[in-house]
Amino acid sequence: MSTMTPAEAAAAIRTAHADKEKAEQTAAALEERVLNGDQDVTAAQLAEAHQAVRFAELRITAAERKHAAAQDAARHETARTVAEQAVTLVKNDDAGELADAMRNAVAAIGRLCTIGQQRHDLITGLGAELTAITDQLGGDFRIMRERYGVAGDREQVIVYNPRTVARTVPPAVLLAAAVHLGAHSSGLAHAVGEALAVPEHRVQQVFTAVPTLAEQAHDTARQPTAEDAPASTAA
């Protein structure tokens, strides 16, 4: 049995069906001539026509078997290719690039949280002082605006002439916005939002799947700080 592709075998099936249909038409025409009294049609011709139909049926069966064999061979070839890709992936997966990206992202998030918290504390702290002073001056913020050109509360600090506002953003909101914006371009924003519902579980999930990231986090946590440095001995 010759090797065929699934497409070639499917084409052979179609050809065999067409041959059978043609043979059936020929046999039916000869039978009709006999029924109409045509003496020129011989038994041998009729038998040959029926044999042609049977032969076409066998060709169909043969083509179907070849088609099944071709599909099976194609599946095994695909399986071998995918298996080779899987072996290559696992052998080459050191997660180095992923670890670098994760480390940079963690550092960036930490810096964002620190700067966001500092700004939040500065605005809310100064805004609280402005609120307290406003209360001491009778509670009318217009006094602060007209006399000192400023006003504010725990949400914002306003400077007039020209009017400029510094509004606070809670660090958690700032972080959520950054994650959403970063994930939005990849279409993962919704999935990330759901994943953040159980962050501790996600951390463990990531560390289990990619041990390199767990090792990196462990090494980072063990890095000595200035407070860990031994005190110098006076000469």
Side-chain angles (χ1 to χ4, degrees):
M1 182 179 293
S2 61
T3 302
M4 303 177 69
T5 66
E8 290 172 340
I13 292 175
R14 292 192 296 269
T15 299
H17 275 287
D19 291 343
K20 180 188 176 185
E21 182 178 357
K22 183 178 179 180
E24 288 175 336
Q25 291 173 350
T26 299
L30 287 173
E31 291 177 353
E32 188 64 24
R33 287 173 59 187
V34 173
L35 292 173
N36 289 332
D38 189 340
Q39 299 297 319
D40 293 332
V41 178
T42 65
Q45 290 176 324
L46 191 57
E48 184 179 355
H50 285 298
Q51 287 178 351
V53 172
R54 177 55 182 160
F55 183 74
E57 291 174 346
L58 293 175
R59 293 291 299 273
I60 290 174
T61 301
E64 289 173 343
R65 289 181 180 180
K66 286 186 177 182
H67 185 250
Q71 287 184 313
D72 188 59
R75 282 191 293 266
H76 282 292
E77 182 61 29
T78 299
R80 281 193 293 269
T81 300
V82 173
E84 291 173 358
Q85 293 173 347
V87 171
T88 300
L89 184 150
V90 173
K91 285 184 176 180
N92 297 333
D93 182 33
D94 63 357
E97 185 177 4
L98 180 62
D100 288 342
M102 189 76 166
R103 180 172 58 251
N104 293 336
V106 171
I109 289 173
R111 183 168 180 270
L112 177 63
C113 290
T114 298
I115 295 175
Q117 188 66 57
Q118 291 173 346
R119 183 178 182 276
H120 177 72
D121 292 344
L122 183 61
I123 293 175
T124 56
L126 185 56
E129 291 186 51
L130 288 170
T131 298
I133 294 173
T134 300
D135 291 341
Q136 294 173 16
L137 295 176
D140 190 344
F141 76 91
R142 288 176 296 182
I143 296 176
M144 292 296 295
R145 182 183 66 186
E146 294 170 359
R147 292 185 181 180
Y148 306 104
V150 297
D153 52 32
R154 293 186 65 84
E155 299 295 327
Q156 59 187 352
V157 172
I158 307 172
V159 173
Y160 297 92
N161 298 321
R163 189 178 188 280
T164 308
V165 182
R167 295 185 176 85
T168 186
V169 179
V173 174
L174 194 66
L175 178 58
V179 171
H180 178 81
L181 291 171
H184 181 72
S185 61
S186 62
L188 294 174
H190 181 71
V192 170
E194 292 182 342
L196 286 175
V198 282
E200 295 84 359
H201 173 70
R202 298 309 181 191
V203 170
Q204 188 57 48
Q205 180 182 357
V206 169
F207 286 174
T208 300
V210 190
T212 301
L213 298 180
E215 295 170 4
Q216 173 183 285
H218 180 68
D219 292 341
T220 300
R222 293 185 56 185
Q223 286 181 357
T225 63
E227 296 178 355
D228 297 326
S232 58
T233 304

